[in-house]
Amino acid sequence: MLSAQGQLTTREAARTSAGQRHQGHGGTLSETCPQESAVTHRPSQPGFRMLTLKLPRLLSAEQVPQEFHEQGILFGYRHPQSSAAACVLSLFQMTNETLNIWTHLLPFCFFTWRFVSVLRATDILNDSYSWPLLVYMGASCVYPLASSCAHTFSCMSGNARHICYFLDYGAVSLFSLGSAIAYSAYVFPDSLVCSTFHDYYVGLAVLSAVTSTGLSCYSRFLEIQKPRLCKLLRILAFAYPYTWDSLPIFSRLFLLPGGSAQNEATLYHQKHMAMTLLASFFYSAHLPERLAPGRFDYIAQHLPATPPTAC
């Protein structure tokens, strides 16, 4: 009996010693499990939060104010009070503005590269003949940059939406004026050079650009109350500068179909004219999204404001 009791005492002493060893290293085995769980919960650290950053949630037309609605577009709207960071993140998310943004941002990069290349190859101070071309190329860079920024940050608030598109319309008019300056220098038919029309052409193009900007900006305040009048004024604001600036081209193509109109740029002007008319028709008629609402949420509502381009 004494021998058995001694063995039990020895075993209890060994168990007690083992428990003390566990406590000396942070507690017993059952007590160390919560510590291991806390250590392995690393996503709460700042470095891991960046990896779990989520793209902004998209909304339907019923979830945004009416001033943000686009005809035939049912889904893909961004939050109407997005932060600047959320707007930038939406560049890498498929929304109903993604194509609007990237189809302006990529041309901006291309035109800027071409502009810088021409600047490096041109003696700006001594080559005055290149100045109209440089003005036109500079406007070609400003216009797509302003449009991409407008479509990117237009969802920050209702007022921000108006301001962004005011700048967008101003950039379109600036591009139109740059085209008129290039046309005046390089495209006018020989029979119209130094005529009264030529003398007042650029001056009236400035007036046209200012009028176009004011008219298109005013049309934004009629979007909800008078949507048809809003659309009519906006189309007129884009059509009038295009028509005025293109008069030298129309003269070369239709009124003077002689040798002066037969050059390598004629075909490009004809294609550009056809594409402009086609794009204007789709924009004004809200096609194809009006025929199948919800089917073209990500590829429709593209603003085809295409002022004349100098070839």
Side-chain angles (χ1 to χ4, degrees):
M1 293 292 294
L2 292 176
S3 177
Q5 291 178 355
Q7 292 177 357
L8 291 174
T9 303
T10 303
R11 292 176 181 176
E12 291 176 356
R15 292 174 182 173
T16 303
S17 177
Q20 291 176 353
R21 286 197 299 269
H22 280 296
Q23 292 176 358
H25 291 282
T28 62
L29 184 61
S30 60
E31 294 173 347
T32 58
C33 290
Q35 293 182 1
E36 292 177 357
S37 176
V39 172
T40 57
H41 188 60
R42 292 184 178 179
S44 62
Q45 299 177 5
F48 285 86
R49 289 174 187 169
M50 297 294 293
L51 300 177
T52 59
L53 192 62
K54 295 183 179 179
L55 294 174
R57 185 171 65 92
L58 300 182
L59 307 176
S60 63
E62 293 79 9
Q63 296 174 298
V64 297
Q66 187 177 358
E67 60 181 343
F68 288 84
H69 289 186
E70 297 288 346
Q71 184 175 354
I73 307 299
L74 303 183
F75 189 74
Y77 293 91
R78 297 170 295 174
H79 196 282
Q81 293 183 347
S82 300
S83 64
C87 293
V88 174
L89 284 176
S90 68
L91 289 171
F92 310 99
Q93 182 182 20
M94 198 61 190
T95 70
N96 57 19
E97 289 284 9
T98 302
L99 284 182
N100 283 326
I101 297 171
W102 283 102
T103 53
H104 288 92
L105 188 59
L106 294 179
F108 161 71
C109 297
F110 174 76
F111 292 148
T112 302
W113 169 68
R114 292 292 298 164
F115 186 33
V116 173
S117 300
V118 172
L119 285 176
R120 291 179 176 178
T122 304
D123 186 3
I124 302 176
L125 298 179
N126 299 321
D127 187 7
S128 59
Y129 186 72
S130 65
W131 292 352
L133 175 62
L134 298 177
V135 171
Y136 166 74
M137 297 189 71
S140 300
C141 296
V142 173
Y143 159 55
L145 175 62
S147 293
S148 62
C149 291
H151 288 287
T152 301
F153 299 103
S154 60
C155 62
M156 295 185 67
S157 67
N159 291 334
R161 181 178 177 84
H162 287 307
I163 294 173
C164 285
Y165 286 115
F166 289 165
L167 296 176
D168 187 14
Y169 301 150
V172 171
S173 298
L174 180 63
F175 180 33
S176 177
L177 178 59
S179 300
I181 293 174
Y183 275 30
S184 177
Y186 308 125
V187 181
F188 254 77
D190 296 338
S191 59
L192 295 179
V193 174
C194 297
S195 63
T196 303
F197 173 49
H198 191 203
D199 294 338
Y200 289 96
Y201 173 75
V202 174
L204 291 177
V206 174
L207 179 61
S208 173
V210 174
T211 304
S212 172
T213 304
L215 195 60
S216 56
C217 291
Y218 172 72
S219 70
R220 295 202 59 83
F221 299 104
L222 305 175
E223 282 185 328
I224 299 178
Q225 292 82 1
K226 300 178 180 179
R228 292 186 178 181
L229 180 59
C230 167
K231 178 64 66 174
L232 178 62
L233 292 178
R234 197 168 301 173
I235 293 175
L236 180 62
F238 295 140
Y240 170 67
Y242 172 79
T243 303
W244 173 257
D245 295 345
S246 299
L247 287 179
I249 296 296
F250 296 156
S251 299
R252 296 178 70 95
L253 295 180
F254 305 113
L255 301 181
L256 301 171
S260 60
Q262 303 301 321
N263 56 62
E264 59 183 7
T266 301
L267 181 61
Y268 293 102
H269 288 305
Q270 293 173 342
K271 290 181 178 180
H272 178 266
M273 188 183 308
M275 294 301 298
T276 300
L277 295 176
L278 184 63
S280 299
F281 169 74
F282 280 110
Y283 170 69
S284 59
H286 287 282
L287 295 176
E289 64 270 22
R290 185 167 62 90
L291 299 179
R295 295 291 184 89
F296 302 94
D297 289 347
Y298 301 107
I299 63 175
Q301 68 152 348
H302 201 73
L303 179 64
T306 52
T309 55
C311 296

